[in-house]
Structure formats: structure tokens, C-alpha cells
Amino acid sequence: MVGLEFFYSMFLGTFATISKATSKTYNLSSEELANKNVQVLFKNQGICNGLLYYIIFFIMLYITIVELYGSIPSGNKPIVFKQAGLAILTIILLFVFH
């Protein structure tokens, strides 16, 4: 969910800078959002949020791979879902809502 929040913030700041959703989310008027300096700041913040989204994705992928690596040779395959279940769920949610 945190990754999705970062992605949504990236979308608002980078692509929908002067939208009604951005205005409502950040409690700024359309005039304030139309200011070029504000747009630059929003776009920079959007890029940072997008980077955090992808960092979360790769950390969850890393956790899943590590758990697979540890569970397959041990013969305890169900342990993957116990130890990497949330990471796998996060990856799925990131793809569904991306």
C-alpha cells in the first residue's frame, strides 16, 4: 500500500500537476498549481516518489527470491508463502494498480 501511495503521489506531481485531484489532495488552488515554480517542485517530488515506488518493488522482489532460494533446496516449499507472502502480495498489488 505504501508503494501505491508513492506511485499515486508521483502521478499527481509529475503528470497531473494542475488537475482537480492534485488540487484537492494537496489543498492548493488551481492558480497556485499553475505557478511554474510550484510545477517544477511538484515534478521533482513526483520523480522522488516514483523512485521510492520502484525501490519498494525491487526490495519485495529480492525478499521473494531469497525465500525461494532458501526453501527449494530445503524441500520446505510452503515456507515461501509464510516468509515472503507479504512481499509476493505487494508485488501483485504493485502490478495490478500500476
Side-chain angles (χ1 to χ4, degrees), residues 7 11 14-15 17 21 25 28 31 33 37-38 42 45 48-49 57 62 64-65 69 71-72 82 88 90:
F7 179 76
F11 173 77
T14 306
F15 301 109
T17 308
T25 300
L28 295 170
E31 293 80 27
L33 292 175
N37 291 328
V38 172
F42 265 73
Q45 185 63 40
C48 291
N49 285 325
F57 169 76
Y62 176 77
T64 303
I65 290 169
Y69 177 78
S71 69
I72 292 173
K82 293 176 185 170
I88 293 167
T90 300

Side-chain angles (χ1 to χ4, degrees), residues 17-59:
T17 308
I18 56 173
S19 71
K20 288 182 183 179
T22 304
S23 178
K24 182 178 177 184
T25 300
Y26 295 105
N27 197 26
L28 295 170
S29 69
S30 298
E31 293 80 27
E32 290 172 307
L33 292 175
N35 180 311
K36 293 293 180 190
N37 291 328
V38 172
Q39 288 183 15
V40 168
L41 292 172
F42 265 73
K43 290 182 188 315
N44 285 336
Q45 185 63 40
I47 295 298
C48 291
N49 285 325
L51 180 61
L52 289 171
Y53 170 84
Y54 287 106
I55 287 172
I56 290 170
F57 169 76
F58 285 113
I59 290 172

